[in-house]
Amino acid sequence: MCGRFEKGLLRPGLEPTELTLAHIQRALKPGTFNHLKRIYFCGNDGDPIIAQDLLPILVYLRTHAPHIRLNIHTNGGARPASWWKELAQVTDLVHFGVDGLEDTNEIYRQGVQWHRLEENLKSFIRAGGNAEVDFLVFAHNEEQVEAARARFAAMGVRQIRFKSTSRFFRFREEKWSSSKPIYDAKGAATGTLRPPIAEPWQSPVRQQYETIIEKHGSLGAYWDKTKIQCRVQQEANLYLSAEGLAFPCCWVAGEWPARSKSAFAGQIDELVKKVGADSLSIHKRSLQEIVDGEFFQKALPEGWESASLIDGKLKVCAKTCGQDFKPFEAQFQKTRAHNPATCST
């Protein structure tokens, strides 16, 4: 279900790359980013802890703007325990994506060895790090929810969030899938993912979709009519990709380069080609020049304000920030959060 892969293989057109300390130092010079409240490291197509310079980047940001919250989202499966001790000293919060226990986590988090993940998590917490766990509930792990709750709480995890993914919904076909194949790194099918069976863990996306269909007839008709209210514009956020390209958010960035099977393929790709990828690159422009440029000031707003899809309304924005159907936010509506600091269990 990760956008990095297509049937177990690296997505066509995606080139493995990363931002270095030198890149960040050029893009965020001392004194130019003190107004920021938070910098969140969460790879669209990879895991931030793999980036070679992540620690020195965090040290640099912490040194020049100590008030900024530095948060990370990771599967926790890489790096030695000593590295995690250092990480605890320069981050405010790390979200660990852990979707099971010893016998189930690797079904979805392929390649993550449990013993290393557990050692890293414990090392981080013992060194004073604040850890939260996001646990995706599937049919194969829903019976482990209570055991996982107790296990992570005992480790000192600050909060555990259990949620059902919305990614069983297939936007291209406009239908809910009862299963998705699992592929290994060689592209061979090895098993099947299924959504949770118990009602408390079933995604609300399916019911919301049925409501949209009843009202509008199709998702396309809904996207055609819905008003786009860009959340990140309201929050004054910015997304910086591993290639060094600035986008308003990870959803828009996720459509470049165009995904071959995306329901939104093409629109963002065409916009980027129109303005030129260099005009969005921190390797070629300052962040201020990028934000003041045509993509942010003209192309995107026109895509939000267009009357219909045929007039250029951006599908990915209508899907993510339309008024009545927000599948990303919906998967948090049934989230069961457990905070060991406030619960008596």
Side-chain angles (χ1 to χ4, degrees):
M1 291 181 170
C2 175
R4 176 183 175 88
F5 299 108
E6 192 170 294
K7 294 186 176 180
L9 305 177
L10 192 67
R11 193 177 87 231
L14 184 65
E15 294 295 331
T17 188
E18 62 187 47
L19 293 173
T20 66
L21 175 60
H23 294 149
I24 296 299
Q25 289 173 326
R26 284 200 300 270
L28 299 172
K29 292 181 172 61
T32 66
F33 59 95
N34 297 69
H35 62 289
L36 299 181
K37 295 180 180 179
R38 183 185 71 164
I39 298 179
Y40 185 43
F41 297 81
C42 181
N44 241 19
D45 296 303
D47 195 305
I49 67 171
I50 298 298
Q52 179 178 334
D53 285 352
L54 179 60
L55 267 181
I57 287 171
L58 292 167
V59 170
Y60 171 76
L61 296 171
R62 178 66 75 214
T63 300
H64 293 286
H67 66 282
I68 295 179
R69 288 187 58 83
L70 301 176
N71 296 358
I72 295 172
H73 201 134
T74 175
N75 63 36
R79 302 285 191 172
S82 58
W83 186 90
W84 289 90
K85 292 179 182 178
E86 293 185 63
L87 183 67
Q89 308 310 310
V90 290
T91 55
D92 293 286
L93 178 64
V94 173
H95 298 264
F96 288 80
V98 187
D99 306 320
L101 295 174
E102 296 98 323
D103 58 333
T104 55
N105 184 58
E106 200 172 354
I107 293 175
Y108 184 68
R109 299 285 174 179
Q110 293 205 14
V112 176
Q113 299 175 350
W114 178 267
H115 69 88
R116 174 173 285 188
L117 163 64
E118 189 172 41
E119 181 182 17
N120 291 343
L121 180 56
K122 289 179 178 178
S123 178
F124 177 74
I125 293 173
R126 282 197 298 263
N130 290 319
E132 294 187 358
V133 163
D134 286 349
F135 186 114
L136 290 174
V137 182
F138 296 99
H140 66 261
N141 65 13
E142 63 183 313
E143 296 298 326
Q144 296 181 321
V145 164
E146 293 307 317
R149 190 193 308 273
R151 182 81 163 265
F152 296 130
M155 290 183 194
V157 171
R158 190 172 75 173
Q159 179 170 277
I160 307 134
R161 298 192 302 178
F162 300 92
K163 63 181 184 179
S164 178
T165 178
S166 64
R167 293 185 181 180
F168 282 98
F169 186 80
R170 305 166 80 174
F171 283 94
R172 188 180 181 88
E173 296 89 355
E174 291 195 26
K175 70 177 183 180
W176 184 262
S177 176
S178 60
S179 66
K180 284 203 172 186
I182 300 171
Y183 298 93
D184 64 19
K186 296 181 179 179
T190 60
T192 304
L193 282 175
R194 299 186 187 281
I197 299 170
E199 191 281 331
W201 300 118
Q202 292 175 10
S203 172
V205 171
R206 189 171 189 173
Q207 180 60 52
Q208 290 184 14
Y209 168 69
E210 291 173 356
T211 301
I212 288 295
I213 294 306
E214 184 177 343
K215 182 177 180 179
H216 297 280
S218 70
L219 267 182
Y222 161 71
W223 290 334
D224 208 47
K225 298 174 184 176
T226 190
K227 183 178 180 181
I228 296 172
Q229 297 176 321
C230 178
R231 186 174 67 185
V232 297
Q233 184 186 44
Q234 296 167 359
E235 297 173 354
N237 291 341
L238 186 72
Y239 177 82
L240 188 60
S241 75
E243 298 91 351
L245 299 185
F247 291 94
C249 64
C250 63
W251 295 283
V252 171
E255 298 308 314
W256 187 91
R259 296 184 183 184
S260 59
K261 294 191 175 181
S262 170
F264 321 105
Q267 280 188 308
I268 301 302
D269 206 37
E270 286 301 315
L271 288 185
V272 173
K273 288 178 180 177
K274 181 179 178 181
V275 302
D278 282 355
S279 70
L280 304 180
S281 174
I282 61 168
H283 308 310
K284 305 290 185 179
R285 304 280 192 276
S286 70
L287 277 174
Q288 191 63 57
E289 288 173 327
I290 294 171
V291 173
D292 289 340
E294 181 182 357
F295 186 76
F296 279 86
Q297 299 302 320
K298 187 173 186 292
L300 286 173
E302 287 180 355
W304 298 332
E305 296 163 6
S306 295
S308 64
L309 297 178
I310 198 170
D311 292 321
K313 178 182 283 187
L314 297 175
K315 287 184 182 179
V316 66
C317 297
K319 168 223 170 186
T320 308
C321 292
Q323 288 182 308
D324 301 322
F325 181 50
K326 300 179 181 181
F328 174 76
E329 292 182 9
Q331 64 187 345
F332 291 92
Q333 290 181 7
K334 287 192 174 184
T335 296
R336 304 293 192 269
H338 170 73
N339 187 337
T342 58
C343 296
S344 60
T345 53

